[in-house]
Amino acid sequence: AQSVTQPDIHITVSEGASLELRCNYSYGATPYLFWYVQSPGQGLQLLLKYFSGDTLVQGIKGFEAEFKRSQSSFNLRKPSVHWSDAAEYFCAVGAGRGVTGGGNKLTFGTGTQLKVEL
Amino acid sequence: DTAVSQTPKYLVTQMGNDKSIKCEQNLGHDTMYWYKQDSKKFLKIMFSYNNKELIINETVPNRFSPKSPDKAHLNLHINSLELGDSAVYFCASSLYPRGGTEAFFGQGTRLTVV
């Protein structure tokens, strides 16, 4: 069964500082990996996704993530955080390439709440 | 134009009542989903429909019954509401029912059972 672990429940950073949010996954094959952001009272917005190819993926709002197969990780990074980045961030894993049946089920981590200090 | 829209956004109701949440997507996607986000913000899939056919049913109580009249709509009906049903329910859609296709989420419906 697939699973996702986000070890950090809360993270506080100063505006302008760099950010790294951790995500570890468990999956029997090469997974599809996603990072979503949820602002207060809002739905989930996709930041970026990894399907295949280059292990460093770029997303919206200046975010990037690196897929490391050896560490089963897909950490999210941003070089300089803005106050508007304060939100809940979710890492998710989907059924990988070649997996048939089971639909397009996403398994989410428990989320990391980011607070940005001005 | 809102891609995935849910109504209502907020729903407060008493225990034992029956309520419905509606979802519509205008993306032309074949697949739609219902996810539940609990009070600890944990998101878990409940159902998925592909072109009006149920393809995922994740051990959800029978009181929850999804209905898809066409591939652009997926409604969620809940009978005999319980306190534990209080949560945010998200509708989502994707182009195909297989991995590797991005899911687009609605704004969520916050259900409070009192």
Side-chain angles (χ1 to χ4, degrees), chain A residues 27 30-34 50-52 92-98 106, chain B residues 99-101:
Chain A
Y27 189 72
T30 301
Y32 294 119
L33 294 161
F34 306 83
Y50 172 76
F51 289 168
S52 65
V93 61
R97 194 177 313 114
L106 289 177
Chain B
T101 49

Side-chain angles (χ1 to χ4, degrees), chain B residues 5-64:
Chain B
S5 59
Q6 301 177 224
T7 54
K9 189 169 182 179
Y10 300 96
L11 186 52
V12 181
T13 188
Q14 291 186 325
M15 274 195 307
N17 284 351
D18 303 337
K19 290 293 178 186
S20 293
I21 306 171
K22 295 186 176 182
C23 179
E24 176 182 5
Q25 55 95 2
N26 63 4
L27 298 167
H29 289 171
D30 282 351
T31 312
M32 296 185 72
Y33 313 81
W34 280 110
Y35 282 83
K36 179 181 180 179
Q37 186 176 46
D38 64 22
S39 58
K40 295 185 179 179
K41 303 245 175 128
F42 182 62
L43 276 151
K44 192 175 186 328
I45 193 166
M46 300 172 69
F47 302 103
S48 177
Y49 271 74
N50 182 57
N51 215 354
K52 302 192 296 178
E53 181 184 347
L54 180 67
I55 58 172
I56 295 177
N57 184 343
E58 286 282 308
T59 319
V60 178
N62 291 338
R63 299 183 294 103
F64 290 78

